[in-house]
């Protein structure tokens, strides 16, 4: 670290993503949410993700919530919740979706639909011999591609 | 798999994401790109990611390129390249950014800037004792948060 003062004030609470890494890695994908409790329920109950960290910034009126399967480094999600936001966030044409592997796409869609998810693409195979896939939408409308990762489900 | 015919036609080339998984996992974040060669250069030369797979669909005129550090399951990126797209993709207000850990944020920003990246937020600490962070933009304007993951860089 270049700044000696900051080094002296080292606070491990801020170093969740690593202190001794020797190479770059992916940490998370950040998306904004209007309703963090709905998003947390969708990703924890729907996929089995865990809340890794949650930080609520009272004076700046926003929260950051990190969701992951196994800590960082395995495709975590950062939810940003701006407390005063009322308009739904818009989806441009650039960002597409999050890809999630699930053992059984039919079962995953049934579970997510029971949690209220829209299912714009029902389970299908793009070509014969390929895994089943589907698209669902999270509570803010982000698209999630589900790809079957078990041949015997 | 529910469909016996499809099971008989099992083609391992389509099962890159797992055949015997027992739990969900994150696989990738999909973003669309106007210039796949520029994007590939940005993520491979800038971060050390590798091209895991590339599929060019001649008749449908699009390509899918998967970039990762260590296969899938560690935060891969899927680039979608629509061959006939000429208008830049738009960035809505929902999707925020990709978070990447780098050992040395100052060095990473210098390297990415040399590759042509814009740097909307130069290296700084949000609070004393926290890792340096910065924001850069990839060739399509997607924001990448860089977070320092080594205390001694």
């Amino acid at each position: 670290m270049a700044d000696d003062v900051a080094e002296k004030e080292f606070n491990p609470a801020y170093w969740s993503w690593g202190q001794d890494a020797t190479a770059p890695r992916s940490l998370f994908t950040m998306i904004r949410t209007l309703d963090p409790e709905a998003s947390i329920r969708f990703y924890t109950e729907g996929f089995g993700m865990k809340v890794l960290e949650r930080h609520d910034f009272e004076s700046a009126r926003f929260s950051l919530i990190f969701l992951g399967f196994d800590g960082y480094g395995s495709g975590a999600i950062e939810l940003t919740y701006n407390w005063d936001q009322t308009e739904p966030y818009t989806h441009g044409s650039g960002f597409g979706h999050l890809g999630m592997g699930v053992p059984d796409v039919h079962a995953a869609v049934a579970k997510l639909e029971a949690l209220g998810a829209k299912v714009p693409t029902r389970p299908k195979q793009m070509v014969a011999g390929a895994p089943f896939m589907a698209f669902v939408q999270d509570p803010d409308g982000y698209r999630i591609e589900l790809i079957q990762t078990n041949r015997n489900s």
Side-chain angles (χ1 to χ4, degrees), chain A:
Chain A
M1 185 172 293
D3 184 334
D4 287 342
V5 175
E7 172 65 16
K8 284 176 196 153
E9 295 173 4
F10 169 73
N11 184 337
Y14 299 121
W15 289 77
S16 312
W17 300 287
Q19 299 181 26
D20 56 5
T22 56
R25 65 171 182 156
S26 294
L27 296 174
F28 53 76
T29 297
M30 191 282 264
I31 53 178
R32 297 181 183 89
T33 179
L34 267 188
D35 182 345
E37 303 318 319
S39 297
I40 290 169
R41 181 162 178 253
F42 178 82
Y43 289 105
T44 59
E45 295 184 23
F47 291 97
M49 297 182 89
K50 297 176 191 74
V51 175
L52 304 175
E53 290 183 73
R54 177 174 183 144
H55 303 284
D56 297 301
F57 300 94
E58 295 277 342
S59 60
R61 299 186 60 72
F62 74 101
S63 301
L64 302 180
I65 299 138
F66 293 89
L67 296 160
F69 286 103
D70 183 26
Y72 298 100
S74 58
I77 296 171
E78 178 184 13
L79 298 174
T80 294
Y81 169 47
N82 294 304
W83 300 359
D84 299 322
Q85 177 82 19
T86 53
E87 287 295 304
Y89 290 103
T90 59
H91 299 287
S93 60
F95 170 73
H97 53 263
L98 302 176
M100 302 276 248
V102 293
D104 184 330
V105 164
H106 292 83
V109 166
K111 179 191 278 189
L112 292 163
E113 206 163 17
L115 287 170
K118 289 184 186 166
V119 185
T121 304
R122 301 229 148 244
K124 67 176 183 180
Q125 290 170 290
M126 298 301 285
V127 294
F132 274 90
M133 57 78 68
F135 276 97
V136 299
Q137 284 178 286
D138 90 349
D140 290 280
Y142 297 103
R143 292 166 72 93
I144 315 289
E145 181 177 10
L146 306 177
I147 299 173
Q148 182 134 336
T149 49
N150 190 312
R151 282 183 63 192
N152 301 310
S153 294

